[in-house]
Amino acid sequence: MDGDLVKIEAFARNKAIHVTETCDEFPVLVRVTGAPCRRAEEMPCVGVDVVLAFNSPPLSFMKVLMMLVDSLSPNDRLSILFWWFSGIVHVLGLTYMSNHGRHVVRLKINELAKSHDHGRSYIGPVLPEAAQILRQRGVEESRRRPAYILHVWNGGMIPAVHNQDISPEFPVHTLGVGRHEPADMKHIADLTSGTYESHGWYDYPEKLLASFYATIAPFAPSSVRITLQAGEGVAISSIASGRYHNIVNSDKQSATVDLYSIYAGEQKTFIITLTVPQGKERLVTIGGMYQTLKTTEELVGFDVVVVRPHRKCMPHEEVIHPKVAAELLWIRFNEGIAKPNQNLSRNDVRLLLDKIKNQDEARAAPQEVVSDFLEEVSEMMDQYGVDMESMLASLNCRQLQRSTNKGTSPWVDAIQILEQDRVDEHTNMVKIQGFTRSKAIMGNETCNEFPVLVRVTAAPWRHAWEMPRDGVDIVAVIDINTNMQAGTLELVKQSMMIVIDKLGPDDRLSIVSLQTHKRHLMELTYMSHDHGLGRDAARFKITQLKASSGNYMGHIASTALEEGAQILRGRGEEESNNRQGCIILLSDGEYPEILQIKINPEIPVHTFGLGVDHNPKVMKYIADMTSGTYSFIDQDINNIKDALGLFITGLTSIAASSIMITLETPKDITISSIESGNYIHHVKPNQMSGKIIIEHIYAGEQKDFIVNLTVGRGAKKLMTIGGEFKAFKWNKSIAEMDMSVTRPWLTRSPEDLTIQPDVAAEVTRIRLQNGVLGMVEAQKMTTQELQKLWTKIKHSDEGRSAPEEILSSLSIEVAEMNRDISGMPYTLSWLSCHKWQRATSKGMPNNSRAFRTIGQYADDDTNLVKVETFTRSKAIPNDDPYNMFPVLVRVMAEPRLKAEEMLHPYVDVVAVLDASAGMQGKKLERMKDAMMVVIGKLRAKDRLSIVSFNTYENRLTRLTYMTEHGRDVARLKISQLVADGQGDVVAALREGTEILRWREAESSHRVGCMVFLSDCKNYEILETEIRPKFPVHTFGLGTDHNPSMMKYIADITSGTYSFVNQDVGMTKDALALFITNLTSVVAMSIKITLRTNEGITMSSIESGGYVNYVENNQLGMIDINNIYAGEWKDFIVYLRVAEGKKELMTIGGQYLSHNTVKHIAYTDVCVQRPHQEGLPEDLGIQPDVAAALVQIKMEKGISTLVENSPSIAGLRQLWEEIVDTEEARGMQAETLSGLSVDVAEMKRDIENPKEYSKSGLPYMLSWLSSRKWQRATIKGTPSSSDAFQTTWQDEDGRATLSQ
């Protein structure tokens, strides 16, 4: 995957040059792009070394310094130089930004702020000193670790830096603060390939380091070199590459452009100017190379060509490519303001702008680019006159194509780093809410125990999965004593395989066995996919487990736990702080001696009691002592797999850690107590502030706490709630919120004084929890006492106000505890669950639903995809072999009612829209209407990108989340579409492919596809290679579209072809049905496995468009990319069946749901083998098999007719042959009738070629597309699209059509 981190593209000025014409200055745009942030973070990122040199007063600069420290990762290093009256102060050498390193830096900065109140003008060699620090790193470190100097300065620089020896060895990013010398600062940046920013005095400290944050953001590629080789007879005249070094060889046949590095998601564009002689089509070959952490990768070369027609060039062939025009626009401007020794006046800039606006490039550039360009320049002039500081910063930005701040306003550059706001998504990973007991308290009353519910919620599971997470370290301590039954040990092994599968490549696992010797079986090992390592090594260790001889005492178990704790303690401070570590203990032993042993509480131990013989008190004791949870599996030991799956799903979806909730009360309010279960809380002695500590929280998890307040008379504001947390490597604050009540003195509304349901529910739960705990500790747990407690709680004010579903759920749990009074494993696990507000397994999965997250509920999705089978007949005479015996394999997804309870995968849609001249009028307006429907139907976490095309392709939006703001942006772009020019279909589809291809890190859990809307009549595309990487679902608009072309695009990309012919107003209904489909996907990457039994071989598989293969005539596989809710797929497997064989084959499989691999239950396929003549109904063909065989025959026949110019006679003959078969007679009448309607539609206007191309042919091709994928397509109108339509689609279609 390292070879996919940089891509290059090229765009010629225009498409064609007349064959006799010579061009002396022909521009070609080269664009280099780094993989976006999410893709780059999959790669190992080396640390960076930063030297900060500054003279700004430390006290004023403190906030910015702290922000810089926080922005660095633990693998980065920082050194600090400060200029003082007496010279350079070495504040800090190169220091890793571990937690300890950050602490040291903060201490140094605080000391500096106290002793140095300001700096002074530049009178010493601070930059050479900074460069020397970086040179001392050594050859290997210098090669592997990028290095930068951050130069922050205020005031003059004496002597002039132009006369100093500044080494270009390391990029110097200069920040001019307040009054400074912009020319000097830019000069330093230019000499070192750095950036120059200017800023006022800390008006926007969070923006001051914006571009430098991007510099140290994750990136993998470095030493990027682009190579250029001119075509025969072509010469490279020059290269406009800004500050990036380029060399054109003396023969002008080859050249290179060197980039020091490219950031994640960044783009660089260069203009190559060529001399092109007559008749030459190949202009230049572009390639290159770059370095990653481990390897040097090659960028595969490609040719840039133009058409050289003998005819006169068509107008659209001479249009300047908008991307080339946009780049030339900025080059012209930069050249105009960068002339040496000129003092620009406002009039000079205006004259330059007028000249540029009248050039061809300005007329060809996209309107929004021209608008941004004019606005940027105008802002500088209007606000500053012609301020050289701002102009120089702008010039530096453009030359490096890298974001900077220019002046006091933190406006955004036209050159942006893609997804630069991505880290800000962490800010919303944890939220707090507050609910007072009632909305009002009478003004003259005081309350001694007024409860306030504080709710802490982590972002839902799907949102959190998209965020990077720290790895987890797990030590599995497995009891393999001699009493463990062979079946139990085997299930433990299978369960550990599930644990291994669920862990990610950045997670680590160690294995310790509970025995007298050789306990430590495997060190902490990354669960990589490397062959023979990682997961493979862990699986091997698990398979080798054998029950040991002897009965173990408690000290053996405690020793094994201590060994596990020692493994985690040995990780070091940095790893311990950044990686969640825990122990899981799986045991069926009793070990009562442990109750007398003090367990080290340093590492959480999550205990799993196996079988009815385990000791629940011991397991709960271990969990309580270590802040772990206790789960158990009693009757059906098979449930151990579900229990461990539930636990690991939670652990590997940690959204945030080190969460601290702060509570502050105003005067006259005090905190009486906090009910936080097992979570640590503190109340200060003055009782006016407190805090609650949560070590970590799973994605989608919710924690409720009750804060009891003493409220004085008349006080309205009760408390301010805030906090902070750590997500990945970022420390984030939680927005504060104030809790208040109204204080009426006379009149009041009864509903304002009633208990709020959420508060009532939590108080009820806590009272039950505390009551049960008290009885367990006092050993007075009886059925009568428990029922008495619950009755009292239910009839309290809070109990009567709690939601009915909460009371019902707690009543069920009380009933389970009553059933469990003697052994108490359920009760103890229930207490563990409620004290931590975290799901535990209590005997069986149905008892484990309390506090589950959405992600953990996903573990119940094991039945979202099912397989059914039908043999051709129920019986085969015993003595008869059968050479081509068809078996129908049906793959079904759960219908809507079940599927809608689950989260569906989110979708990434690229809409490729035809905006050529042929779309003018109603077609364009109807397409706009249809896209408005699409935008409205996509969910907030779905993403949409819009690519329009006419003469050139144009990416209107990147993949954008369909939040309210995202929808508004998309609607605006759609409304601005104008039809003009010719249609370059291939370029537009390639652009769409690139957009989806760069999602690599997310492609496994998001459905990606393109929708292509066009009336295109282009036949040349049939001879053009289109990348089949992502499905393109084509929609032909109007009677004059080319159905063959649209079907061709759909076929080679595994998409579907639909069309709307007579009434293009139906386009929105067609797209509405399609999007309903797409957003109902319940499973992805479905693989159906087929294995024949002895005496049975597999001949072939009929799977339509879905990939299948057969290996050694005994193993088969069918791949289905995704499946919609309520959808099913039918496949025919042909078998050779030997005499007397009943068991034909076994069918299983797997699929991906919520990024978790789920297994499909195995199905055995059998037939009867009667020795005598069987019953007619057992030997007859089964209707479902008959229907599938008829449809396959029909599909093949129609496909042949289409290839050979169909006729009514040919179509009639095909249908008569099908109707006369045994299969047609064996299928249900309504299914055969549906096919008859299809045939009648295909016959329409078949004898009139002109009319047939408008109706019959599109219908045939769309019908074939539908049959190939067994998926609904729109065939003229939505009402003609019933075949393969799901219940979900059907309901949505009726709703849409009725509007």
Side-chain angles (χ1 to χ4, degrees), residues 97 155 254 298 332 483 536 678 744 785 823 832 893 963 1045 1156 1160:
M97 289 296 96
S254 60
E298 182 180 357
R332 301 286 184 260
N483 293 325
D536 288 350
N678 278 351
E785 289 297 319
S832 182
T963 59
M1045 184 205 75
T1156 302
I1160 299 172

Side-chain angles (χ1 to χ4, degrees), residues 136 213 261 291 518 653 710 784 797 859 922 1111 1141 1180:
Q136 292 172 350
Y213 285 162
S261 64
Q291 288 185 353
K518 293 184 180 179
S653 68
T710 299
Q784 293 79 11
D797 290 343
D859 283 342
K922 283 188 177 181
E1111 183 179 329
K1141 297 297 181 181

Side-chain angles (χ1 to χ4, degrees), residues 480-778:
I480 53 174
N481 68 76
T482 190
N483 293 325
M484 181 172 281
Q485 298 178 6
T488 302
L489 179 58
E490 189 57 36
L491 285 170
V492 168
K493 291 181 180 182
Q494 293 176 19
S495 303
M496 284 303 301
M497 297 300 182
I498 292 175
V499 171
I500 293 166
D501 287 341
K502 279 181 172 285
L503 293 175
D506 195 37
D507 300 322
R508 295 188 296 190
L509 176 67
S510 178
I511 303 171
V512 173
S513 65
L514 203 161
Q515 55 187 7
T516 55
H517 62 284
K518 293 184 180 179
R519 283 187 289 267
H520 194 171
L521 304 181
M522 189 175 79
E523 301 287 345
L524 271 178
T525 302
Y526 282 102
M527 292 294 97
S528 67
H529 295 279
D530 297 336
H531 180 68
L533 305 172
R535 297 177 193 275
D536 288 350
R539 291 187 184 105
F540 176 76
K541 292 293 184 182
I542 293 297
T543 60
Q544 298 302 301
L545 288 176
K546 295 180 181 179
S548 300
S549 59
N551 294 318
Y552 303 142
M553 303 296 288
H555 73 277
I556 299 296
S558 64
T559 302
L561 291 175
E562 178 56 32
E563 185 154 348
Q566 186 60 40
I567 292 169
L568 293 172
R569 279 196 293 269
R571 295 177 299 166
E573 179 185 2
E574 189 62 36
E575 285 189 332
S576 297
N577 289 332
N578 292 323
R579 299 175 64 89
Q580 178 65 30
C582 69
I583 298 170
I584 56 174
L585 170 63
L586 286 75
S587 175
D588 64 351
E590 295 192 14
Y591 313 119
E593 304 88 357
I594 285 185
L595 296 173
Q596 310 303 319
I597 300 174
K598 185 176 181 181
I599 306 292
N600 190 327
E602 187 179 353
I603 305 296
V605 180
H606 302 278
T607 61
F608 293 83
L610 309 181
V612 295
D613 295 330
H614 82 276
N615 189 330
K617 293 182 180 179
V618 167
M619 301 300 269
K620 175 75 161 44
Y621 171 77
I622 295 171
D624 284 350
M625 289 289 292
T626 61
S627 299
T629 55
Y630 160 53
S631 298
F632 76 96
I633 302 89
D634 52 5
Q635 301 295 334
D636 186 357
I637 199 68
N638 277 288
N639 289 328
I640 179 63
K641 292 185 283 188
D642 298 318
L644 280 177
L646 176 77
F647 171 76
I648 294 296
T649 297
L651 191 66
T652 55
S653 68
I654 291 175
S657 60
S658 303
I659 305 120
M660 181 173 69
I661 306 302
T662 58
L663 314 166
E664 298 284 343
T665 63
K667 185 180 178 181
D668 298 330
I669 310 286
T670 58
I671 300 173
S672 307
S673 60
I674 300 175
E675 293 281 359
S676 62
N678 278 351
Y679 294 99
I680 296 171
H681 71 266
H682 300 288
V683 179
K684 288 191 175 180
N686 64 5
Q687 295 187 296
M688 295 184 67
S689 63
K691 60 184 178 182
I692 303 168
I693 307 298
I694 307 170
E695 185 179 355
H696 58 264
I697 190 167
Y698 299 161
E701 203 171 33
Q702 177 180 295
K703 308 291 183 187
D704 286 347
F705 308 106
I706 292 291
V707 181
N708 292 307
L709 303 177
T710 299
V711 184
R713 294 181 60 186
K716 295 181 179 180
K717 181 180 175 181
L718 304 183
M719 181 170 58
T720 299
I721 309 171
E724 60 185 39
F725 65 93
K726 182 180 177 183
F728 195 42
K729 58 186 177 183
W730 306 94
N731 295 314
K732 292 291 179 181
S733 297
I734 302 173
E736 291 186 344
M737 65 176 298
D738 291 333
M739 299 301 303
S740 302
V741 290
T742 58
R743 300 303 298 263
W745 290 91
L746 297 174
T747 60
R748 64 187 185 276
S749 172
E751 57 266 25
D752 288 344
L753 296 178
T754 57
I755 306 174
Q756 295 203 62
D758 291 275
V759 180
E762 183 59 16
V763 171
T764 299
R765 188 190 70 82
I766 288 174
R767 286 178 179 171
L768 179 61
Q769 169 194 295
N770 292 342
V772 171
L773 179 62
M775 287 189 287
V776 169
E777 290 178 344

Side-chain angles (χ1 to χ4, degrees), residues 891-897 899 904 1072-1082 1122-1129 1266 1269-1273 1281-1294:
V891 182
M892 301 177 296
E894 280 289 351
R896 177 178 182 176
L897 291 178
H904 299 283
L1073 289 176
F1074 171 76
I1075 292 297
T1076 299
N1077 247 348
L1078 196 65
T1079 54
S1080 74
V1081 169
V1082 296
N1122 56 61
I1123 193 166
Y1124 306 150
E1127 196 176 36
W1128 75 66
K1129 310 288 184 188
S1266 173
W1269 299 108
Q1270 300 183 58
R1271 187 155 277 178
T1273 60
S1281 311
D1282 293 334
F1284 301 109
Q1285 197 158 301
T1286 66
T1287 305
W1288 191 316
Q1289 280 181 289
D1290 196 40
E1291 291 176 4
D1292 187 81
R1294 288 196 295 271

